[in-house]
C-alpha cells in the first residue's frame, strides 16, 4: 500500500465531525470540532442507555462548563454545544443502572 492509500483509508474511517480529539465509552463518544469551539456527543449503541457529556472551556475570564446530550438516542444525528471559550476538556458518560460510566480527557 502506498502512503497516499493509507492516508485515504484513515480519513475515511474517521468520525463525521473528527478533529482528532474524541473520547469513547463503548461506541458512544464526545468529540471536538470547529477550532475547539463546538463539541458533539453521539449515542451509537441501541442499548437503551442514555449518553451525556460535558466540556470545559477556558479563557482570560476563567473556566466555563458546558453540558450536552444526544436527545434522539441512538437514532441518526448527534447532540452538540457551541462554546464561547476554547474547549480544554471533554467527557462522555453512559447513564448506567447504578453508577454512571464516564471517560474524559484534557486537550
Amino acid at each position: 500500500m502506498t502512503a497516499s492509500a493509507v492516508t485515504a483509508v484513515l480519513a475515511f474511517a474517521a468520525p463525521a465531525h473528527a478533529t482528532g480529539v474524541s473520547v469513547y465509552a463503548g461506541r458512544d463518544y464526545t468529540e471536538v470540532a470547529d477550532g475547539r469551539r463546538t463539541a458533539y456527543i453521539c449515542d451509537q449503541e441501541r442499548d437503551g442507555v442514555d449518553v451525556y457529556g460535558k466540556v470545559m472551556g477556558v479563557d482570560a475570564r476563567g473556566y466555563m462548563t458546558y453540558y450536552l446530550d444526544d436527545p434522539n438516542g441512538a437514532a441518526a444525528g448527534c447532540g452538540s454545544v457551541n462554546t464561547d471559550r476554547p474547549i480544554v476538556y471533554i467527557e462522555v458518560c453512559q447513564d448506567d443502572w447504578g453508577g454512571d460510566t464516564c471517560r474524559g480527557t484534557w486537550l
Side-chain angles (χ1 to χ4, degrees), residues 55-90:
V55 297
M56 292 173 56
V58 67
D59 65 9
R61 298 170 289 172
Y63 283 94
M64 175 69 112
T65 302
Y66 306 85
Y67 297 93
L68 59 162
D69 68 344
D70 189 349
N72 65 359
C78 299
S80 65
V81 65
N82 295 312
T83 69
D84 64 345
R85 301 171 193 207
I87 296 169
V88 295
Y89 177 81
I90 61 174

Side-chain angles (χ1 to χ4, degrees), residues 13-95:
H17 310 285
T19 63
V21 182
S22 301
V23 175
Y24 284 83
R27 289 183 32 233
D28 305 326
Y29 64 92
T30 300
E31 67 184 8
V32 178
D34 301 328
R36 292 181 28 203
R37 299 291 181 140
T38 302
Y40 296 92
I41 185 136
C42 300
D43 186 342
Q44 301 292 294
E45 300 174 353
R46 295 188 184 279
D47 57 4
V49 175
D50 290 334
V51 174
Y52 64 95
K54 75 176 179 183
V55 297
M56 292 173 56
V58 67
D59 65 9
R61 298 170 289 172
Y63 283 94
M64 175 69 112
T65 302
Y66 306 85
Y67 297 93
L68 59 162
D69 68 344
D70 189 349
N72 65 359
C78 299
S80 65
V81 65
N82 295 312
T83 69
D84 64 345
R85 301 171 193 207
I87 296 169
V88 295
Y89 177 81
I90 61 174
E91 183 176 87
V92 60
C93 297
Q94 294 175 319
D95 190 7

